[in-house]
Amino acid sequence: MATFSLDDIRAAAERKYGSTDITFGDDTVRLLNPLRLSKAKREALAKLQEEMGNDDVDQAESLAGAIRTIAESEKAAEKLLTAVGHDLAILAEIFGHYGESTQAGEASASQG
């Protein structure tokens, strides 16, 4: 029989579902994996992602809203968004890296 400690389980969860960390200047913002978000935040993120597909939506505002939703802290999210401004390309790139890192965690989980 295999035995694991809760610390072992936590470490495995962090490896599979860890954050995407964005550093800028002396600051870092942790963007949490959707599985590490509260139910309300997961629902808000899903709604924002759905809205991003609409042509009449301000994509920069939607991406900024998503970053606010997935960031570990509001203060860090606001610092990042201030540094980025309304540069849609940079916001899309941040969210793209986030998406890639969360898919990697999901793929690892489904294999095991």
Side-chain angles (χ1 to χ4, degrees):
M1 169 164 57
T3 303
F4 299 94
S5 71
L6 185 53
D7 287 340
D8 293 336
I9 301 297
R10 284 185 176 125
E14 186 60 30
R15 280 190 303 276
K16 286 184 181 180
Y17 309 110
S19 64
T20 300
D21 298 351
I22 307 291
T23 58
F24 54 104
D26 293 333
D27 295 307
T28 300
V29 62
R30 292 185 77 211
L31 305 177
L32 302 176
N33 184 292
L35 295 176
R36 306 302 290 274
L37 297 172
S38 67
K39 182 178 179 184
K41 285 195 172 194
R42 283 193 310 272
E43 290 171 354
L45 179 61
K47 183 178 177 186
L48 283 165
Q49 288 176 308
E50 187 176 303
E51 290 173 359
M52 283 182 215
N54 297 335
D55 291 334
D56 60 340
V57 171
D58 182 331
Q59 296 296 317
E61 284 302 316
S62 291
L63 288 168
I67 289 170
R68 286 183 186 99
T69 301
I70 60 179
E72 184 176 49
S73 81
E74 288 180 35
K75 183 179 179 181
E78 291 307 320
K79 280 185 172 184
L80 176 63
L81 292 170
T82 297
V84 168
H86 292 285
D87 189 325
L88 182 55
I90 293 175
L91 291 168
E93 192 68 20
I94 289 169
F95 206 73
H97 284 292
Y98 172 76
E100 289 171 13
S101 68
T102 60
Q103 286 175 353
E106 291 169 2
S108 297
S110 65
Q111 292 171 357

